[in-house]
């Protein structure tokens, strides 16, 4: 190999190396492909607030209550329904339709996030979604599963004042797609952790409805909201008012929350 040819080869090698240096520098700065960013730490304060608000809405123990749902359109009262709710630890729930008489015998069974409806006219239970509408502005999950702490990952979004009371604003993101709403914005009293207001969002980010927790009074051993006003965000004037009555702590055995048990109830 002549000296001039060796010289040209060294020049080409040096030129290629200089062109690759920026790329190698960026590759060195970037994390290795196997490295993953550390998960954000859980917001312990937000989790505690949601858990406390859950315990105010409903007992942590097994309980029974009746709820009357009245639907309104532009202020005019429409149909109403009465349900009996039997709940064990906010994970297993039975919702029995008491009124109207034409729907008596229908029952929802919730086990964790699995939901079935039992109807006297149908031999086999039918699987349902938590997000499906039950009546008016009320979804199945609004009655059958009220476990915000278990279904959402909360973070603190800010602080506001409602009626002169300081409140913490929480942003709740669904843990998976099986829960009732993709996202909830939640207002909780800073001093007493009472739930005051909520906004419920679809996966697309669209606001579906708002809720107000009202008329706090003694029930089942604690001060709880006995009235929930849910308003459609898409159709102005469409409102459902839920009134909770006769809430009592009860010992409800695990065997009640099975499909076999509900079939026996319908016989």
């Amino acid at each position: 190999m002549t000296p001039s040819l060796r010289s040209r080869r060294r020049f080409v090698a040096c030129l290629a190396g200089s062109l690759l240096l920026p790329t190698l520098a960026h590759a060195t700065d970037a994390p290795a492909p196997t490295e993953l960013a550390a998960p954000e730490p859980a917001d312990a304060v937000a989790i505690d607030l949601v858990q406390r608000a859950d315990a105010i809405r409903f007992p942590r123990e097994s309980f029974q209550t009746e709820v009357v749902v009245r639907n309104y359109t532009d202020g005019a009262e429409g149909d109403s329904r009465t349900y009996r709710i039997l709940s064990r630890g906010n994970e297993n729930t039975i919702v029995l339709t008491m009124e109207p008489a034409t729907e008596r015998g229908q029952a929802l069974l919730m086990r964790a996030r699995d939901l079935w409806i039992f109807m006297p006219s149908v031999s086999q239970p039918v699987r349902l979604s938590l997000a499906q509408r039950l009546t008016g502005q009320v979804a199945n999950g609004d009655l059958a599963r009220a476990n915000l702490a278990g279904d959402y990952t909360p973070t603190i979004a800010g602080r506001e004042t409602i009626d002169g009371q300081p409140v913490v604003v929480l942003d709740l993101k669904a843990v998976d797609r099986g829960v009732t709403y993709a996202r909830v914005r939640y207002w909780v009293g800073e001093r007493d952790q009472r739930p005051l207001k909520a906004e419920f969002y679809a996966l697309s980010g669209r606001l579906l409805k708002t809720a107000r927790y009202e008329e706090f009074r003694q029930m089942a051993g604690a001060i709880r909201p006995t009235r929930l006003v849910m308003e459609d965000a898409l159709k102005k004037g469409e409102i459902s008012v839920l009134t909770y009555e006769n809430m009592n702590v009860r010992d409800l055995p695990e065997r009640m929350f099975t499909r076999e048990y509900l079939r026996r109830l319908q016989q």
Side-chain angles (χ1 to χ4, degrees), residues 27-36:
T28 303
D29 293 339
T34 56
E35 293 179 359
L36 296 175

Side-chain angles (χ1 to χ4, degrees), residues 125-147:
V126 178
R127 190 76 174 264
L128 293 179
S129 161
L130 288 173
Q132 282 181 257
R133 184 169 297 193
L134 179 63
T135 177
Q137 305 312 309
V138 182
N140 291 326
D142 292 327
L143 291 188
R145 186 170 174 86
N147 187 0

Side-chain angles (χ1 to χ4, degrees), residues 42-52 149 153-155 170:
D43 191 331
V45 175
I47 292 171
D48 182 65
L49 281 172
V50 176
Q51 289 175 342
R52 289 174 181 268
T153 301
T155 55
L170 298 155

Side-chain angles (χ1 to χ4, degrees), residues 5 41 61 66 87 109 133 139 155-156 172 199 225:
L5 181 58
E61 307 94 332
E66 290 192 0
S87 182
L109 171 63
R133 184 169 297 193
T155 55
I156 294 178
L172 278 58
E199 293 176 345

Side-chain angles (χ1 to χ4, degrees), residues 213-230:
Y213 301 88
E214 301 177 346
E215 297 185 9
F216 286 78
R217 62 182 178 86
Q218 186 76 21
M219 193 164 57
I223 302 296
R224 308 184 189 280
T226 63
R227 175 181 159 99
L228 177 60
V229 180
M230 307 190 79

Side-chain angles (χ1 to χ4, degrees), residues 30-185:
T34 56
E35 293 179 359
L36 296 175
E40 293 184 6
D43 191 331
V45 175
I47 292 171
D48 182 65
L49 281 172
V50 176
Q51 289 175 342
R52 289 174 181 268
D54 272 358
I56 289 173
R57 289 189 302 129
F58 300 107
R60 286 194 173 104
E61 307 94 332
S62 300
F63 69 92
Q64 174 179 321
T65 187
E66 290 192 0
V67 56
V68 180
V69 181
R70 297 179 177 88
N71 299 313
Y72 296 84
T73 300
D74 297 327
E77 186 171 354
D79 63 336
S80 67
R81 283 172 166 75
T82 301
Y83 301 96
R84 177 171 295 158
I85 299 174
L86 306 169
S87 182
R88 179 183 167 90
N90 283 332
E91 284 292 321
N92 299 331
T93 304
I94 294 171
V95 180
L96 302 172
T97 302
M98 310 304 292
E99 298 289 343
T102 54
E103 297 182 14
R104 191 173 297 167
Q106 290 186 11
L108 297 176
L109 171 63
M110 183 87 204
R111 289 188 61 85
R113 296 191 190 104
D114 294 325
L115 181 67
W116 295 270
I117 185 171
F118 293 75
M119 295 178 286
S121 59
V122 180
S123 60
Q124 293 296 322
V126 178
R127 190 76 174 264
L128 293 179
S129 161
L130 288 173
Q132 282 181 257
R133 184 169 297 193
L134 179 63
T135 177
Q137 305 312 309
V138 182
N140 291 326
D142 292 327
L143 291 188
R145 186 170 174 86
N147 187 0
L148 294 180
D151 290 346
Y152 298 89
T153 301
T155 55
I156 294 178
R159 284 173 169 78
E160 296 179 7
T161 301
I162 295 179
D163 297 330
Q165 177 182 354
V167 299
V168 179
V169 186
L170 298 155
D171 191 42
L172 278 58
K173 294 184 179 178
V175 295
D176 59 43
R177 294 195 178 189
V179 304
T180 311
Y181 305 102
R183 177 174 163 255
V184 180
R185 197 163 177 87

